[in-house]
Amino acid sequence: MNYLIGITEAKYQGDYKILLTFSTGEQRIVDLKEQLYGEMFEPLKDKNIFMQFKVNREIRTIVWPNGADLAPYSLYELGKPISKKIKKPSRLKFNTK
């Protein structure tokens, strides 16, 4: 895995789960419930605060208003893959003669 991976999009999924889209195009759901300990992360146990995350385009990860953030590579490793890039099937042409 490339350590330069970044997050391009993040969507709240309920509880402490976030759907992340990475710079590779891959999507993963990360459950951060067990990661919310320590001075910076303890306040995020309040779901109203947890839901306030945003993608910081400069550092390419999610951040919270209190300054908490997590490395994108760590989020990638914690996340469970939900999709891969899939090519659309080409249209079939039928000979109608």
Side-chain angles (χ1 to χ4, degrees), residues 7 9 11 13 16-17 19-20 26-27 31 42 48 50 54 56-57 61 65 67 70 77-78 86 92 97:
I7 294 169
E9 191 174 346
K11 293 181 182 175
Q13 299 295 296
Y16 298 99
K17 296 177 183 171
L19 171 62
L20 300 172
E26 186 176 356
Q27 292 185 311
D31 185 349
E42 197 71 30
N48 291 320
F50 181 84
K54 303 241 184 279
N56 181 309
R57 303 276 179 220
T61 194
L70 292 163
E77 289 294 309
L78 286 169
I86 300 172
L92 297 174
K97 291 183 185 180

Side-chain angles (χ1 to χ4, degrees), residues 18 26 44 46 51 57 75 83 87 90 94 96-97:
I18 304 172
E26 186 176 356
L44 304 181
D46 178 336
M51 294 181 345
R57 303 276 179 220
L75 292 166
S83 70
K87 291 183 180 179
S90 60
F94 295 96
T96 57
K97 291 183 185 180

Side-chain angles (χ1 to χ4, degrees), residues 5-7 16 18 20 22 30-37 40-41 44 50 53-56 59-64 66-76 78:
I5 193 168
I7 294 169
Y16 298 99
I18 304 172
L20 300 172
F22 291 87
V30 63
D31 185 349
L32 296 175
K33 186 175 184 175
E34 301 301 319
Q35 309 302 315
L36 303 179
Y37 56 87
M40 290 298 287
F41 296 100
L44 304 181
F50 181 84
F53 63 85
K54 303 241 184 279
V55 175
N56 181 309
I59 60 174
R60 300 171 48 167
T61 194
I62 52 174
V63 297
W64 284 267
N66 71 343
D69 66 41
L70 292 163
Y73 181 74
S74 297
L75 292 166
Y76 184 90
L78 286 169

